[in-house]
Amino acid sequence: METDLPESAIRPLIQEHTGPVAAIRRTAHGNSSDLTAIVECERGPFFVKAVRDRPGGRRDSLIRERQIDAGLVHISPSLLWDVEAEGWLVLGYEVIDGRSADFAPASPDLPLVVETIAQIGFVPLPVFARDWTETRWDRFVSDGSEAELFRGDSLLYTDINPHNLLVAGRRAWAVDWAWPTRGAGFIDPALLVVQLIAAGHTPASAEKWASQLPAWHKAAPGAINAFAAANVRMYSTFAERKPDAHWLKAMLEACQSWTDHRGIAAA
């Protein structure tokens, strides 16, 4: 039924902030939420993310995103208001009139992307984020000592991809902070390497871009190799579970290319 749609459910909840709503247009990306949309309204437009207010990953993710906003000035679009009522959690952001970054070799967007990731690396870890320990790669390491190489006190974005870096004019914005964590600072640059290889870069070229980021050079000995191998194991597992997901196969190929370049085995 139409009344069961997120658009219908949140409309009366957000009108205090939006004024009369003319339209709610879903966006192409943002599958981690029940609704991501542009709200055309009297006081907007606004970009909104909404999840049903139930315990679990999606709600917890949006709560983290709400918490981290204050530390992301000039990096991410500003959170302007939020609503938690009637079984829904809704975040309302400023709208950035931008496009997805182009990660391809020779793209003019690459310096903007690197600059934005560098800015993220300089954001101090908030006190409330000290228990957000990054553990997603732990089960894909060869032994427990490798997992310790991923620990640290840096605020990590961890969701680097072309759709999450919006280019507007001569700058880029990092959007969709769905799961920021605390860990070793080299992880975000390493994730950029994987994405660049998937976009057509050679591993050497991808690492050259990552080497412009200070955190890349602060990685503990063996940490980057351990992380590269863990990514191969992770995407291999995910691709086996979802054989029709072509993007997973592409990411696995990128990770394998990277480990081949570094001369390490991920078996």
Side-chain angles (χ1 to χ4, degrees), residues 232-252:
V232 170
R233 300 184 194 107
M234 181 180 72
Y235 279 110
S236 179
T237 299
F238 294 166
E240 288 176 4
R241 291 176 182 172
K242 298 182 178 181
D244 296 328
H246 298 296
W247 74 273
L248 287 173
K249 293 180 181 178
M251 295 306 298
L252 174 57

PDB file of all heavy atoms in Angstrom, residues 232-252:
ATOM      1  N   VAL A 232      41.624  -9.718  -0.559  1.00  0.00           N
ATOM      2  CA  VAL A 232      41.421 -10.812  -1.521  1.00  0.00           C
ATOM      3  C   VAL A 232      40.541 -11.889  -0.899  1.00  0.00           C
ATOM      4  O   VAL A 232      39.576 -12.363  -1.516  1.00  0.00           O
ATOM      5  CB  VAL A 232      42.767 -11.411  -1.964  1.00  0.00           C
ATOM      6  CG1 VAL A 232      42.542 -12.694  -2.769  1.00  0.00           C
ATOM      7  CG2 VAL A 232      43.542 -10.409  -2.807  1.00  0.00           C
ATOM      8  N   ARG A 233      40.850 -12.274   0.319  1.00  0.00           N
ATOM      9  CA  ARG A 233      40.058 -13.320   0.978  1.00  0.00           C
ATOM     10  C   ARG A 233      38.621 -12.857   1.206  1.00  0.00           C
ATOM     11  O   ARG A 233      37.670 -13.632   1.048  1.00  0.00           O
ATOM     12  CB  ARG A 233      40.715 -13.705   2.302  1.00  0.00           C
ATOM     13  CG  ARG A 233      42.133 -14.240   2.159  1.00  0.00           C
ATOM     14  CD  ARG A 233      42.699 -14.688   3.503  1.00  0.00           C
ATOM     15  NE  ARG A 233      44.144 -14.876   3.409  1.00  0.00           N
ATOM     16  CZ  ARG A 233      45.048 -14.054   3.934  1.00  0.00           C
ATOM     17  NH1 ARG A 233      44.656 -12.999   4.647  1.00  0.00           N
ATOM     18  NH2 ARG A 233      46.345 -14.284   3.801  1.00  0.00           N
ATOM     19  N   MET A 234      38.459 -11.595   1.588  1.00  0.00           N
ATOM     20  CA  MET A 234      37.124 -11.074   1.851  1.00  0.00           C
ATOM     21  C   MET A 234      36.274 -11.082   0.586  1.00  0.00           C
ATOM     22  O   MET A 234      35.156 -11.609   0.571  1.00  0.00           O
ATOM     23  CB  MET A 234      37.205  -9.657   2.416  1.00  0.00           C
ATOM     24  CG  MET A 234      35.850  -9.035   2.734  1.00  0.00           C
ATOM     25  SD  MET A 234      35.974  -7.350   3.408  1.00  0.00           S
ATOM     26  CE  MET A 234      36.467  -6.451   1.930  1.00  0.00           C
ATOM     27  N   TYR A 235      36.798 -10.497  -0.504  1.00  0.00           N
ATOM     28  CA  TYR A 235      36.005 -10.427  -1.727  1.00  0.00           C
ATOM     29  C   TYR A 235      35.825 -11.785  -2.376  1.00  0.00           C
ATOM     30  O   TYR A 235      34.815 -12.029  -3.048  1.00  0.00           O
ATOM     31  CB  TYR A 235      36.618  -9.425  -2.699  1.00  0.00           C
ATOM     32  CG  TYR A 235      36.252  -7.995  -2.363  1.00  0.00           C
ATOM     33  CD1 TYR A 235      37.199  -7.105  -1.861  1.00  0.00           C
ATOM     34  CD2 TYR A 235      34.950  -7.539  -2.521  1.00  0.00           C
ATOM     35  CE1 TYR A 235      36.863  -5.805  -1.528  1.00  0.00           C
ATOM     36  CE2 TYR A 235      34.597  -6.236  -2.188  1.00  0.00           C
ATOM     37  CZ  TYR A 235      35.560  -5.376  -1.700  1.00  0.00           C
ATOM     38  OH  TYR A 235      35.201  -4.093  -1.370  1.00  0.00           O
ATOM     39  N   SER A 236      36.757 -12.688  -2.168  1.00  0.00           N
ATOM     40  CA  SER A 236      36.583 -14.056  -2.657  1.00  0.00           C
ATOM     41  C   SER A 236      35.402 -14.723  -1.964  1.00  0.00           C
ATOM     42  O   SER A 236      34.555 -15.366  -2.600  1.00  0.00           O
ATOM     43  CB  SER A 236      37.860 -14.862  -2.429  1.00  0.00           C
ATOM     44  OG  SER A 236      37.695 -16.188  -2.868  1.00  0.00           O
ATOM     45  N   THR A 237      35.310 -14.520  -0.658  1.00  0.00           N
ATOM     46  CA  THR A 237      34.190 -15.077   0.109  1.00  0.00           C
ATOM     47  C   THR A 237      32.872 -14.469  -0.337  1.00  0.00           C
ATOM     48  O   THR A 237      31.885 -15.179  -0.567  1.00  0.00           O
ATOM     49  CB  THR A 237      34.397 -14.817   1.610  1.00  0.00           C
ATOM     50  OG1 THR A 237      35.598 -15.466   2.037  1.00  0.00           O
ATOM     51  CG2 THR A 237      33.218 -15.336   2.422  1.00  0.00           C
ATOM     52  N   PHE A 238      32.830 -13.147  -0.482  1.00  0.00           N
ATOM     53  CA  PHE A 238      31.596 -12.472  -0.875  1.00  0.00           C
ATOM     54  C   PHE A 238      31.175 -12.848  -2.299  1.00  0.00           C
ATOM     55  O   PHE A 238      29.985 -13.023  -2.576  1.00  0.00           O
ATOM     56  CB  PHE A 238      31.760 -10.957  -0.766  1.00  0.00           C
ATOM     57  CG  PHE A 238      31.944 -10.452   0.643  1.00  0.00           C
ATOM     58  CD1 PHE A 238      32.385  -9.154   0.881  1.00  0.00           C
ATOM     59  CD2 PHE A 238      31.691 -11.264   1.740  1.00  0.00           C
ATOM     60  CE1 PHE A 238      32.552  -8.674   2.170  1.00  0.00           C
ATOM     61  CE2 PHE A 238      31.863 -10.799   3.039  1.00  0.00           C
ATOM     62  CZ  PHE A 238      32.290  -9.509   3.249  1.00  0.00           C
ATOM     63  N   ALA A 239      32.149 -12.954  -3.193  1.00  0.00           N
ATOM     64  CA  ALA A 239      31.832 -13.293  -4.582  1.00  0.00           C
ATOM     65  C   ALA A 239      31.306 -14.714  -4.703  1.00  0.00           C
ATOM     66  O   ALA A 239      30.438 -14.999  -5.542  1.00  0.00           O
ATOM     67  CB  ALA A 239      33.067 -13.111  -5.462  1.00  0.00           C
ATOM     68  N   GLU A 240      31.796 -15.614  -3.875  1.00  0.00           N
ATOM     69  CA  GLU A 240      31.290 -16.994  -3.877  1.00  0.00           C
ATOM     70  C   GLU A 240      29.847 -17.041  -3.399  1.00  0.00           C
ATOM     71  O   GLU A 240      29.039 -17.830  -3.892  1.00  0.00           O
ATOM     72  CB  GLU A 240      32.170 -17.873  -2.992  1.00  0.00           C
ATOM     73  CG  GLU A 240      33.538 -18.170  -3.585  1.00  0.00           C
ATOM     74  CD  GLU A 240      34.407 -18.967  -2.631  1.00  0.00           C
ATOM     75  OE1 GLU A 240      33.907 -19.344  -1.537  1.00  0.00           O
ATOM     76  OE2 GLU A 240      35.577 -19.211  -2.968  1.00  0.00           O
ATOM     77  N   ARG A 241      29.514 -16.182  -2.442  1.00  0.00           N
ATOM     78  CA  ARG A 241      28.150 -16.162  -1.920  1.00  0.00           C
ATOM     79  C   ARG A 241      27.174 -15.541  -2.912  1.00  0.00           C
ATOM     80  O   ARG A 241      25.995 -15.916  -2.947  1.00  0.00           O
ATOM     81  CB  ARG A 241      28.112 -15.367  -0.603  1.00  0.00           C
ATOM     82  CG  ARG A 241      28.820 -16.029   0.551  1.00  0.00           C
ATOM     83  CD  ARG A 241      28.809 -15.103   1.766  1.00  0.00           C
ATOM     84  NE  ARG A 241      29.520 -15.664   2.900  1.00  0.00           N
ATOM     85  CZ  ARG A 241      29.787 -15.002   4.015  1.00  0.00           C
ATOM     86  NH1 ARG A 241      29.387 -13.732   4.130  1.00  0.00           N
ATOM     87  NH2 ARG A 241      30.448 -15.576   5.000  1.00  0.00           N
ATOM     88  N   LYS A 242      27.653 -14.574  -3.704  1.00  0.00           N
ATOM     89  CA  LYS A 242      26.793 -13.868  -4.660  1.00  0.00           C
ATOM     90  C   LYS A 242      27.440 -13.912  -6.045  1.00  0.00           C
ATOM     91  O   LYS A 242      27.991 -12.925  -6.531  1.00  0.00           O
ATOM     92  CB  LYS A 242      26.573 -12.421  -4.218  1.00  0.00           C
ATOM     93  CG  LYS A 242      25.857 -12.301  -2.880  1.00  0.00           C
ATOM     94  CD  LYS A 242      25.629 -10.833  -2.515  1.00  0.00           C
ATOM     95  CE  LYS A 242      24.857 -10.702  -1.205  1.00  0.00           C
ATOM     96  NZ  LYS A 242      24.614  -9.278  -0.843  1.00  0.00           N
ATOM     97  N   PRO A 243      27.383 -15.071  -6.696  1.00  0.00           N
ATOM     98  CA  PRO A 243      28.085 -15.227  -7.981  1.00  0.00           C
ATOM     99  C   PRO A 243      27.564 -14.321  -9.088  1.00  0.00           C
ATOM    100  O   PRO A 243      28.257 -14.117 -10.084  1.00  0.00           O
ATOM    101  CB  PRO A 243      27.870 -16.701  -8.312  1.00  0.00           C
ATOM    102  CG  PRO A 243      26.659 -17.107  -7.523  1.00  0.00           C
ATOM    103  CD  PRO A 243      26.696 -16.303  -6.272  1.00  0.00           C
ATOM    104  N   ASP A 244      26.368 -13.787  -8.941  1.00  0.00           N
ATOM    105  CA  ASP A 244      25.812 -12.913  -9.979  1.00  0.00           C
ATOM    106  C   ASP A 244      26.134 -11.432  -9.744  1.00  0.00           C
ATOM    107  O   ASP A 244      25.752 -10.585 -10.558  1.00  0.00           O
ATOM    108  CB  ASP A 244      24.291 -13.086 -10.075  1.00  0.00           C
ATOM    109  CG  ASP A 244      23.901 -14.496 -10.523  1.00  0.00           C
ATOM    110  OD1 ASP A 244      24.668 -15.093 -11.300  1.00  0.00           O
ATOM    111  OD2 ASP A 244      22.837 -14.982 -10.087  1.00  0.00           O
ATOM    112  N   ALA A 245      26.796 -11.124  -8.659  1.00  0.00           N
ATOM    113  CA  ALA A 245      27.148  -9.735  -8.355  1.00  0.00           C
ATOM    114  C   ALA A 245      28.460  -9.400  -9.058  1.00  0.00           C
ATOM    115  O   ALA A 245      29.552  -9.670  -8.548  1.00  0.00           O
ATOM    116  CB  ALA A 245      27.260  -9.530  -6.848  1.00  0.00           C
ATOM    117  N   HIS A 246      28.355  -8.794 -10.215  1.00  0.00           N
ATOM    118  CA  HIS A 246      29.541  -8.542 -11.029  1.00  0.00           C
ATOM    119  C   HIS A 246      30.499  -7.552 -10.364  1.00  0.00           C
ATOM    120  O   HIS A 246      31.712  -7.619 -10.573  1.00  0.00           O
ATOM    121  CB  HIS A 246      29.115  -8.026 -12.409  1.00  0.00           C
ATOM    122  CG  HIS A 246      28.285  -9.007 -13.184  1.00  0.00           C
ATOM    123  ND1 HIS A 246      28.788 -10.223 -13.594  1.00  0.00           N
ATOM    124  CD2 HIS A 246      26.993  -8.966 -13.601  1.00  0.00           C
ATOM    125  CE1 HIS A 246      27.854 -10.885 -14.250  1.00  0.00           C
ATOM    126  NE2 HIS A 246      26.741 -10.146 -14.256  1.00  0.00           N
ATOM    127  N   TRP A 247      29.962  -6.640  -9.564  1.00  0.00           N
ATOM    128  CA  TRP A 247      30.843  -5.676  -8.914  1.00  0.00           C
ATOM    129  C   TRP A 247      31.759  -6.352  -7.908  1.00  0.00           C
ATOM    130  O   TRP A 247      32.918  -5.925  -7.733  1.00  0.00           O
ATOM    131  CB  TRP A 247      30.036  -4.561  -8.255  1.00  0.00           C
ATOM    132  CG  TRP A 247      29.316  -4.950  -6.996  1.00  0.00           C
ATOM    133  CD1 TRP A 247      28.082  -5.491  -6.883  1.00  0.00           C
ATOM    134  CD2 TRP A 247      29.815  -4.821  -5.654  1.00  0.00           C
ATOM    135  NE1 TRP A 247      27.762  -5.724  -5.569  1.00  0.00           N
ATOM    136  CE2 TRP A 247      28.807  -5.310  -4.793  1.00  0.00           C
ATOM    137  CE3 TRP A 247      31.009  -4.326  -5.119  1.00  0.00           C
ATOM    138  CZ2 TRP A 247      28.963  -5.335  -3.401  1.00  0.00           C
ATOM    139  CZ3 TRP A 247      31.164  -4.350  -3.726  1.00  0.00           C
ATOM    140  CH2 TRP A 247      30.139  -4.854  -2.888  1.00  0.00           C
ATOM    141  N   LEU A 248      31.289  -7.440  -7.282  1.00  0.00           N
ATOM    142  CA  LEU A 248      32.142  -8.170  -6.355  1.00  0.00           C
ATOM    143  C   LEU A 248      33.286  -8.856  -7.095  1.00  0.00           C
ATOM    144  O   LEU A 248      34.425  -8.880  -6.624  1.00  0.00           O
ATOM    145  CB  LEU A 248      31.316  -9.199  -5.578  1.00  0.00           C
ATOM    146  CG  LEU A 248      30.375  -8.638  -4.504  1.00  0.00           C
ATOM    147  CD1 LEU A 248      29.498  -9.740  -3.930  1.00  0.00           C
ATOM    148  CD2 LEU A 248      31.174  -7.955  -3.388  1.00  0.00           C
ATOM    149  N   LYS A 249      32.986  -9.399  -8.260  1.00  0.00           N
ATOM    150  CA  LYS A 249      34.034 -10.019  -9.074  1.00  0.00           C
ATOM    151  C   LYS A 249      35.063  -8.978  -9.502  1.00  0.00           C
ATOM    152  O   LYS A 249      36.274  -9.247  -9.496  1.00  0.00           O
ATOM    153  CB  LYS A 249      33.418 -10.685 -10.302  1.00  0.00           C
ATOM    154  CG  LYS A 249      32.537 -11.887  -9.987  1.00  0.00           C
ATOM    155  CD  LYS A 249      31.969 -12.490 -11.266  1.00  0.00           C
ATOM    156  CE  LYS A 249      31.060 -13.671 -10.956  1.00  0.00           C
ATOM    157  NZ  LYS A 249      30.458 -14.238 -12.195  1.00  0.00           N
ATOM    158  N   ALA A 250      34.587  -7.791  -9.853  1.00  0.00           N
ATOM    159  CA  ALA A 250      35.502  -6.732 -10.264  1.00  0.00           C
ATOM    160  C   ALA A 250      36.413  -6.314  -9.108  1.00  0.00           C
ATOM    161  O   ALA A 250      37.618  -6.082  -9.301  1.00  0.00           O
ATOM    162  CB  ALA A 250      34.710  -5.531 -10.780  1.00  0.00           C
ATOM    163  N   MET A 251      35.857  -6.224  -7.914  1.00  0.00           N
ATOM    164  CA  MET A 251      36.665  -5.856  -6.765  1.00  0.00           C
ATOM    165  C   MET A 251      37.669  -6.966  -6.431  1.00  0.00           C
ATOM    166  O   MET A 251      38.820  -6.691  -6.073  1.00  0.00           O
ATOM    167  CB  MET A 251      35.773  -5.567  -5.558  1.00  0.00           C
ATOM    168  CG  MET A 251      34.868  -4.351  -5.723  1.00  0.00           C
ATOM    169  SD  MET A 251      35.762  -2.840  -6.178  1.00  0.00           S
ATOM    170  CE  MET A 251      36.808  -2.636  -4.745  1.00  0.00           C
ATOM    171  N   LEU A 252      37.244  -8.219  -6.562  1.00  0.00           N
ATOM    172  CA  LEU A 252      38.163  -9.333  -6.314  1.00  0.00           C
ATOM    173  C   LEU A 252      39.327  -9.286  -7.303  1.00  0.00           C
ATOM    174  O   LEU A 252      40.490  -9.467  -6.917  1.00  0.00           O
ATOM    175  CB  LEU A 252      37.415 -10.655  -6.429  1.00  0.00           C
ATOM    176  CG  LEU A 252      38.270 -11.926  -6.330  1.00  0.00           C
ATOM    177  CD1 LEU A 252      39.048 -11.965  -5.021  1.00  0.00           C
ATOM    178  CD2 LEU A 252      37.388 -13.174  -6.484  1.00  0.00           C
TER     179      LEU A 252
END
